């Protein structure tokens, strides 16, 4: 099987074409030879009878019979007729079956060579038959010679015209030879055409054999399934020719077959047609689709100097941003821990100094104060908040706030069980981390720097609330607060609250913002514990 698999396509096509043409030639030649053989034999039979009848009606033959000198008076005429019809012999016999005339003069006057004159002499009929001679098998046409005596007619002899079968077959072979020559030319033309056909096919398949194409197709399918980036391709007419599973998933396309549809009907926001017309490569093109930011790379497919299609790979910038936020949070945790380490080191230095100065009462009061604060935080953080990820986030933010000299208070009424599985770690990191960071920035220039955080999960929703004592948010900015790219902190910012709202809505929740009279801002997030379908 492997040997057959490795046979080149050109050999297969040429072999198939040659075999088919050769088979057709053999079948047609066989049918033609059979038909020619039957027709030629029938024609020879008819010719033998017609020639014999013509000779039997000649007056010269009857005169020669009456004079009993056929060899002298009629043999030249018989030879002339024999040459005209290409017969092998013309035999004239008497009523007594004595040979009057023969191509072999030594047989003249002898008895007939075979008993075949009965039908002609008795019934006066004509007939065909085959006999064996020294030269081989002979096809004979025999007719009676009838003399008119006025009141009656009488059979006075017979005329036989003979044709050698080998001469008949030679005639058939000459006709078949023409067919064989013509068939050979057709076979040669077929092979030449097959060569050109295989070259054309190999050009279309880039010189690849069928098993190589099949292998490439399997590898292509596996690669498209394994690649996490979205991949789409169009032809020179803008018709979609390829879209992988990742692309369908990221673009929220259903299972409808988009292959063969125009790219403009499927994805209107992607300007692939521009690349198709200009033939210029486009890298890192940002496109907003379904409230998600994607980064596209558009590569034209150029063949013989012409653009015959475009391939595009793309990735979700939102996911990249999400990953970057997670990395940022991890970095913030480490910085928070470093800040806590630094702060506790300073407190240890303070205790060491107080002890060296023998100010034991001051040292004791400081330890008791820190202990109470620490116990209160730990009581809430570890005994009331049972989700490890939320604990880790708050620990990091406590350290960060402490380093910035900001008081971050975890509400004493906070209580939450481990978060449902549909709320991923990256989601809760983005929500809590951005809300607390914004609150810390809001109070950074305030005289009293205080941020309150609470989380509860006693009902059907998980409620997260972050309050700061900053200047508040003006009413004209509330509408654009969650818009992507909006920020009051400078350029290349404005993704935090946008990501928070997007994640909250994707989880089926809501987010609310309000200002108190004294300027405090309150961000409240409601996340349902059950996945909403």
């Amino acid at each position: 099987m492997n040997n057959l698999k490795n046979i080149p396509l050109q050999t297969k096509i040429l072999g198939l074409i040659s075999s088919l043409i050769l088979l057709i030639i053999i079948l047609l030649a066989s049918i033609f030879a059979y038909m020619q053989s039957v027709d030629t034999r029938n024609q020879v039979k008819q010719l033998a009878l017609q020639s014999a009848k013509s000779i039997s009606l000649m007056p010269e033959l009857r005169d020669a019979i009456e004079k009993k000198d056929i060899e002298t008076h009629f043999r030249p005429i018989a030879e002339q007729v024999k040459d005209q019809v290409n017969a092998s012999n013309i035999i004239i016999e008497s009523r007594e079956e004595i040979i009057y005339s023969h191509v072999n003069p030594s047989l003249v006057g002898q008895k007939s060579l075979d008993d075949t004159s009965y039908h002609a002499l008795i019934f006066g009929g004509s007939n065909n038959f085959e006999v064996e001679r020294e030269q081989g098998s002979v096809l004979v046409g025999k007719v009676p010679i009838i003399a008119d005596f006025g009141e009656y007619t009488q059979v006075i002899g017979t005329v036989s015209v003979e044709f050698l079968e080998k001469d008949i077959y030679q005639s058939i072979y000459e006709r078949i030879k023409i067919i064989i020559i013509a068939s050979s030319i057709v076979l040669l033309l077929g092979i030449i055409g097959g060569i050109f056909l295989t070259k054309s096919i190999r050009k279309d398949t880039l010189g690849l054999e069928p098993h190589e194409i099949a292998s490439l197709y399997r590898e292509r399918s596996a690669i498209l399934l394994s690649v996490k980036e979205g991949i789409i391709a169009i032809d020179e007419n803008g018709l979609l020719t390829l879209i992988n599973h990742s692309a369908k998933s990221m673009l929220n396309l259903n299972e409808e077959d988009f292959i063969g549809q125009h790219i403009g009907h499927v994805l209107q926001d992607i300007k692939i047609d521009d690349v198709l017309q200009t033939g210029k490569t486009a890298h890192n093109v940002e496109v907003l689709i379904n409230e998600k930011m994607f980064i596209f790379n558009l590569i034209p497919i150029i063949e013989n100097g012409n653009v015959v299609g475009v391939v595009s790979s793309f990735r979700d910038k939102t996911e990249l941003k999400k990953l970057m936020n997670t990395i940022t949070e991890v970095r913030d945790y480490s910085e928070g821990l470093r800040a806590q380490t630094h702060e506790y080191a300073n407190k240890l230095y303070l205790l060491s100094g107080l002890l060296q100065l023998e100010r034991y009462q001051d040292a004791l009061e400081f330890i008791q104060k820190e202990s109470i604060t620490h116990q209160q935080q730990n009581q809430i953080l570890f005994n009331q908040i049972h989700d490890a990820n939320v604990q880790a986030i708050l620990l990091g933010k406590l350290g960060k706030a402490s380093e910035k000299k900001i008081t971050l208070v975890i509400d004493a009424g906070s209580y939450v069980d481990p978060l449902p599985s549909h709320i991923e770690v990256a989601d809760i990191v983005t929500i809590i981390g951005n809300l607390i960071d914004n609150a810390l920035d809001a109070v950074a220039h305030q005289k009293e720097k205080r941020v309150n955080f609470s989380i509860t999960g006693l009902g059907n929703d998980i409620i997260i609330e972050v309050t700061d004592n900053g200047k508040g948010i003006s009413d004209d900015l509330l509408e654009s607060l969650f818009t992507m790219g909006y920020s009051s902190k400078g350029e290349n910012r404005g993704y935090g609250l946008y990501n928070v709202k997007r994640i909250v809505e994707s989880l089926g929740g809501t987010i609310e913002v309000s200002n108190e009279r004294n300027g405090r801002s309150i961000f409240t997030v409601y996340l349902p514990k059950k996945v909403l379908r």
Side-chain angles (χ1 to χ4, degrees):
M1 183 62 70
N2 291 331
N3 293 332
L4 293 176
K5 179 180 178 181
N6 294 327
I7 296 177
L9 178 62
Q10 184 173 6
T11 303
K12 291 180 180 178
I13 293 178
L14 287 178
L16 178 61
I17 292 176
S18 302
S19 300
L20 287 176
I21 294 177
L22 187 61
L23 178 61
I24 292 172
I25 289 174
I26 292 174
L27 289 175
L28 291 179
S30 300
I31 294 172
F32 179 79
Y34 174 76
M35 294 177 64
Q36 282 293 312
S37 176
V38 173
D39 291 344
T40 302
R41 288 179 65 85
N42 290 334
Q43 290 174 6
V44 170
K45 288 180 180 180
Q46 294 294 329
L47 180 59
L49 289 177
Q50 292 293 335
S51 300
K53 287 179 181 179
S54 298
I55 294 172
S56 67
L57 297 176
M58 289 183 180
E60 293 85 351
L61 176 59
R62 295 178 184 177
D63 292 342
I65 291 175
E66 290 179 357
K67 295 177 181 179
K68 297 184 179 181
D69 192 6
I70 295 177
E71 281 295 306
T72 303
H73 293 86
F74 189 75
R75 190 64 200 172
I77 298 174
E79 289 293 329
Q80 184 178 2
V81 174
K82 179 176 76 69
D83 294 337
Q84 288 178 350
V85 298
N86 293 322
S88 61
N89 194 7
I90 295 178
I91 303 173
I92 300 173
E93 298 177 352
S94 67
R95 182 177 177 81
E96 291 77 18
E97 299 186 20
I98 301 299
I99 298 175
Y100 282 158
S101 176
H102 197 281
V103 70
N104 185 0
S106 62
L107 297 177
V108 175
Q110 296 186 17
K111 186 71 174 178
S112 176
L113 298 175
D114 44 54
D115 187 13
T116 57
S117 301
Y118 178 80
H119 184 76
L121 294 174
I122 301 302
F123 299 102
S126 305
N127 65 319
N128 290 109
F129 52 88
E130 293 185 24
V131 295
E132 292 293 330
R133 299 279 190 256
E134 293 180 359
Q135 303 92 332
S137 188
V138 175
L139 189 61
V140 181
K142 178 168 285 193
V143 300
I145 303 172
I146 301 175
D148 188 359
F149 293 100
E151 295 180 357
Y152 65 95
T153 58
Q154 184 179 9
V155 177
I156 61 174
T158 61
V159 177
S160 300
V161 177
E162 299 181 349
F163 289 88
L164 284 172
E165 285 197 350
K166 63 180 181 180
D167 293 336
I168 298 174
Y169 291 138
Q170 180 64 30
S171 175
I172 296 173
Y173 171 73
E174 292 296 330
R175 297 183 185 182
I176 294 177
K177 185 165 66 174
I178 297 174
I179 298 298
I180 293 175
I181 294 174
S183 301
S184 300
I185 295 174
V186 171
L187 178 61
L188 180 61
L189 292 176
I191 294 174
I192 295 174
I195 293 174
F196 282 106
L197 176 62
T198 54
K199 287 184 177 180
S200 176
I201 294 175
R202 286 182 64 83
K203 181 179 179 181
D204 293 338
T205 59
L206 303 179
L208 298 174
E209 296 295 334
H211 67 275
E212 294 175 327
I213 296 174
S215 177
L216 286 175
Y217 179 79
R218 290 191 293 268
E219 293 172 0
R220 166 186 173 272
S221 299
I223 290 172
L224 290 177
L225 286 174
S226 63
V227 171
K228 297 305 179 183
E229 287 191 345
I231 298 176
I232 58 176
I234 63 172
D235 61 13
E236 65 270 19
N237 299 316
L239 302 181
L240 195 63
T241 58
L242 182 148
I243 179 167
N244 70 342
H245 180 75
S246 297
K248 290 182 180 180
S249 177
M250 284 190 284
L251 299 176
N252 294 327
L253 299 176
N254 55 31
E255 293 302 323
E256 181 181 352
D257 188 10
F258 295 100
I259 302 301
Q261 296 188 29
H262 195 275
I263 186 65
H265 299 157
V266 181
L267 298 171
Q268 299 177 354
D269 299 322
I270 304 176
K271 304 300 181 182
I272 295 184
D273 288 345
D274 295 341
V275 179
L276 194 62
Q277 295 172 3
T278 61
K280 294 182 179 179
T281 301
H283 290 291
N284 300 324
V285 178
E286 295 190 3
V287 180
L288 182 63
I289 302 175
N290 297 330
E291 298 184 355
K292 290 184 179 181
M293 184 63 70
F294 294 94
I295 301 176
F296 280 80
N297 292 310
L298 307 173
I299 312 297
I301 304 173
I302 300 176
E303 184 177 333
N304 298 325
N306 298 320
V307 180
V308 297
V310 178
V311 173
S312 174
S313 64
F314 60 93
R315 57 193 182 276
D316 189 351
K317 184 178 180 181
T318 308
E319 294 299 324
L320 293 176
K321 189 66 178 178
K322 187 175 180 181
L323 179 60
M324 292 173 61
N325 289 337
T326 304
I327 295 174
T328 301
E329 292 301 324
V330 173
R331 184 186 62 191
D332 289 344
Y333 299 156
S334 64
E335 290 179 352
L337 292 175
R338 180 183 60 80
Q340 282 187 334
T341 302
H342 184 267
E343 183 180 3
Y344 278 109
N346 290 333
K347 292 177 180 179
L348 289 175
Y349 292 144
L350 174 61
L351 286 174
S352 176
L354 291 174
L355 293 173
Q356 290 179 21
L357 294 174
E358 298 182 353
R359 297 173 60 181
Y360 302 118
Q361 185 62 33
D362 293 338
L364 181 60
E365 291 177 356
F366 179 76
I367 293 173
Q368 289 176 343
K369 181 180 179 181
E370 288 296 319
S371 176
I372 291 172
T373 302
H374 184 69
Q375 287 177 358
Q376 288 176 345
Q377 286 184 347
N378 287 349
Q379 173 69 26
I380 299 171
L381 193 60
F382 296 106
N383 295 336
Q384 297 177 213
I385 298 175
H386 299 143
D387 188 270
N389 296 317
V390 177
Q391 293 173 353
I393 297 170
L394 294 177
L395 279 174
K397 296 306 178 184
L398 285 170
K400 185 175 182 180
S402 176
E403 186 178 22
K404 291 184 175 183
K405 306 304 179 183
I406 298 173
T407 302
L408 175 58
V409 179
I410 301 175
D411 190 272
S414 295
Y415 183 90
V416 68
D417 291 323
L419 298 181
S421 59
H422 71 278
I423 302 178
E424 297 181 0
V425 177
D427 295 335
I428 200 65
V429 165
T430 301
I431 294 172
I432 296 178
N434 279 287
L435 292 179
I436 293 179
D437 284 344
N438 285 344
L440 295 178
D441 291 337
V443 302
H445 302 290
Q446 296 295 104
K447 185 177 181 180
E448 181 185 358
K449 304 175 182 180
R450 182 181 180 89
V451 174
N452 293 335
F453 173 86
S454 71
I455 181 170
T456 58
L458 298 177
N460 295 326
D461 294 331
I462 296 170
I463 303 174
I464 301 171
E465 187 173 273
V466 178
T467 306
D468 65 72
N469 65 338
K471 297 180 179 180
I473 303 170
S474 60
D475 294 337
D476 57 337
L477 296 180
L478 285 175
E479 295 183 357
S480 58
L481 192 62
F482 296 101
T483 303
M484 183 177 63
Y486 169 78
S487 176
S488 60
K489 304 172 186 176
E491 297 183 356
N492 298 322
R493 304 290 294 273
Y495 290 97
L497 291 178
Y498 167 77
N499 287 334
V500 170
K501 183 179 181 182
R502 182 181 60 81
I503 293 173
V504 169
E505 291 179 347
S506 68
L507 295 173
T510 58
I511 182 170
E512 297 178 357
V513 183
S514 61
N515 287 320
E516 293 188 355
R517 291 182 180 180
N518 57 4
R520 298 200 316 165
S521 300
I522 302 175
F523 286 80
T524 307
V525 174
Y526 300 88
L527 298 177
K529 292 182 178 180
K530 295 183 179 179
V531 180
L532 298 180
R533 298 294 181 184

